[in-house]
Amino acid sequence: MVNNSIKKLLQYGIETGLLEKDDEIYTANRILEVLQEDDYEEPEQEDTEVCLEEILKELVDYAAAKGMLDGNSVVERDLFDTKLMGCLVPRPSEVNAKFFELYRRSPVEATEYFYKFSQDTDYIRRYRIKKDMRWKVESIYGDIDISINLSKPEKDPKAIAAAKLAKQSGYPKCLLCKENAGYAGRINHPARQNHRTIPLTINQTPWGLQYSPYVYYNEHCILFNYEHVPMQIERATFVKLFDFIKLFPHYFIGSNADLPIVGGSILSHDHYQGGNYTFAMAKSPIEKHVVIPGYEDVEAGIVKWPLSVIRIRHRDARRLIDLADHILKVWRGYTDEEAFVFAKTDGEPHNTITPIARKVDDTFELDLALRNNITTEECPMGVYHPHAQYHHIKKENIGLIEVMGLAVLPARLKSEMQLLSEYILAGKDVREDESLRKHADWVEAFLPEYQDISKDNIDEILQKEIGKVFVGVLEDAGVYKCTPEGRKAFMRFIETL
């Protein structure tokens, strides 16, 4: 049986282009080494259709039966199947050569190749990504994207316990470091034998391009500094964003803010996220144009969006870099007590920016979302952070991806919504169930709006109401609210520019 599985994995490699026919015997021997087997007899018949998930399951089950790993541990299974896939993946120099050969023809062809490659190698696990729940919800700001992330595996208790006992290593320093490519991994760090990155020059320094293994949207890429240095929003940030857009004009790219609460999950390593997707924010128009002294040639204005976003547009990226730097510097030091905007309290800075760059036809565009991470006794997690009434759906930071209009919601919501639909249809009290109790006020508020609730429409109703909650979350994250008073306060800041 193991010979059949090895044969199918080799067939998969050839069909996807990871292997050439000449590589077959060599790769079979490498797979035998991983499986600690001495013999291989090639089966005569080829399978008409190969499924990578099934092949890897067969091989990992076989290794587990031999005592090579704990077959019940998701972490150990992932470490082992990545080691197997590493046998099929070309060296970095070969991948780079192919990428840049295609790039000379077309940047689109190059990224299409690398995105497919990153899935074929199982670095992006297609069969897990398919489990994610995704839908759109209409709002006054456009169609908002909602996703429940199910592709990131939950760590089992044994793996969590083992990780605590594991020897701590500083190599690689984090998940974004260049040293991850080819790394075998360990119980507290994912295996990356199937991971490749593309070297780029950004702002005259070495950077790498890779895709996110969790793909929250189409061609979700990460641009990372080759040096392990912390995130910082500064003039050089805008230079780097436009250096990337000039290389890949079909992609957008943005940065998480550089302060806690309003920043991303990895502030310790300088990186940006981009991809081939148009978010609701990018489609939203400028609702009020403004003229900024000294930059009369730059189109500028407030975007119709729940967060406080200034959009600037020009054919010359250098004009946008200069203006963005000016806006950032003024915002960093800006205080407006009436609007509850404080640049600093007790010496701690609060104001920063989440920037997003793109090219639309022949014009460069930069969206600057104004952020503030001040906390109070009433809002200990942040004044401009999801408020407590929404925590039953979303209480995590509002980072770059959410800012643009895509909710990345926790996996627990899938089972909670299934159970909630059963309770609603049966007319049961939601407060009776411990896992649903947190949703009770929300359910009681929206149920009277629907006359007819049945098993045919309950899922659609819950999806719509989750979408409304996320819009509320985005409005909470807006420093200036979409009200006459909020817009007046926003203009007070713009007038200081």
Side-chain angles (χ1 to χ4, degrees), residues 134-147 280 305 405 407 409 450 459-471 474:
R134 301 173 191 272
W135 67 92
K136 287 183 184 287
V137 171
E138 290 178 6
S139 80
I140 57 169
Y141 309 106
D143 289 345
I144 304 294
D145 290 298
I146 310 291
S147 71
W305 194 243
L409 302 178
Y450 299 93
D459 290 343
E460 189 184 329
I461 288 169
L462 288 174
Q463 287 185 352
K464 183 180 174 185
E465 293 301 324
I466 287 172
K468 285 184 187 175
V469 168
F470 182 63
V471 170
L474 293 180

Side-chain angles (χ1 to χ4, degrees), residues 153-166:
E154 299 284 331
K155 285 190 179 174
D156 50 273
K158 278 170 77 177
I160 293 168
K164 282 182 183 173
L165 297 172

Side-chain angles (χ1 to χ4, degrees), residues 183-292:
Y183 187 63
R186 49 186 192 268
I187 206 79
N188 56 2
H189 193 104
R192 291 290 184 250
Q193 291 102 322
N194 57 353
H195 178 45
R196 299 292 180 266
T197 66
I198 303 296
L200 299 174
T201 300
I202 300 289
N203 194 27
Q204 301 175 320
T205 55
W207 285 64
L209 175 68
Q210 66 174 67
Y211 287 102
S212 163
Y214 304 114
V215 193
Y216 293 139
Y217 50 84
N218 187 47
E219 295 177 49
H220 178 180
C221 70
I222 297 170
L223 179 70
F224 65 96
N225 197 324
Y226 266 17
E227 296 298 316
H228 182 78
V229 292
M231 298 275 295
Q232 196 171 346
I233 303 295
E234 57 188 351
R235 180 188 177 84
T237 303
F238 310 123
V239 175
K240 293 168 200 168
L241 295 181
F242 283 116
D243 275 4
F244 179 84
I245 293 295
K246 287 169 190 172
L247 290 171
F248 305 100
H250 58 297
Y251 274 14
F252 80 87
I253 190 158
S255 173
N256 267 302
D258 56 355
L259 293 177
I261 297 175
V262 294
S265 55
I266 304 179
L267 292 176
S268 61
H269 194 126
D270 195 12
H271 73 285
Y272 308 119
Q273 295 179 79
N276 192 1
Y277 190 71
T278 306
F279 288 87
M281 189 176 82
K283 296 175 189 173
S284 282
I286 289 176
E287 68 173 23
K288 181 179 176 62
H289 279 83
V290 297
V291 176
I292 299 171

Side-chain angles (χ1 to χ4, degrees), residues 78-98:
D78 281 3
L79 287 168
F80 195 84
D81 69 17
T82 305
K83 192 175 188 179
L84 286 166
M85 288 306 296
C87 300
L88 276 66
V89 183
R91 288 174 182 267
S93 57
E94 296 171 59
V95 178
N96 295 344
K98 174 81 170 170

Side-chain angles (χ1 to χ4, degrees), residues 336-353:
D336 179 352
E337 292 187 20
E338 189 186 335
F340 207 78
V341 174
F342 295 89
K344 284 183 181 177
T345 56
D346 300 325
E348 184 193 338
H350 297 303
N351 291 348
T352 185
I353 278 175

Side-chain angles (χ1 to χ4, degrees), residues 410-426:
R412 64 174 169 82
L413 284 175
K414 183 186 179 185
S415 57
E416 287 175 9
M417 291 307 114
Q418 283 171 345
L419 186 58
L420 188 57
S421 64
E422 291 169 20
Y423 266 64
I424 290 171
L425 290 172

Side-chain angles (χ1 to χ4, degrees), residues 433-446:
D433 184 271
E434 195 179 337
S435 68
L436 298 183
R437 204 168 293 142
K438 58 182 171 286
H439 299 299
D441 290 346
W442 171 58
V443 172
E444 286 168 8
F446 75 69

Side-chain angles (χ1 to χ4, degrees), residues 58-79:
E58 290 166 7
L59 289 169
V60 174
D61 285 348
Y62 177 81
K66 287 179 67 173
M68 295 174 70
L69 70 142
D70 177 357
N72 295 317
S73 165
V74 175
V75 173
E76 289 192 35
R77 292 182 74 91
D78 281 3
L79 287 168

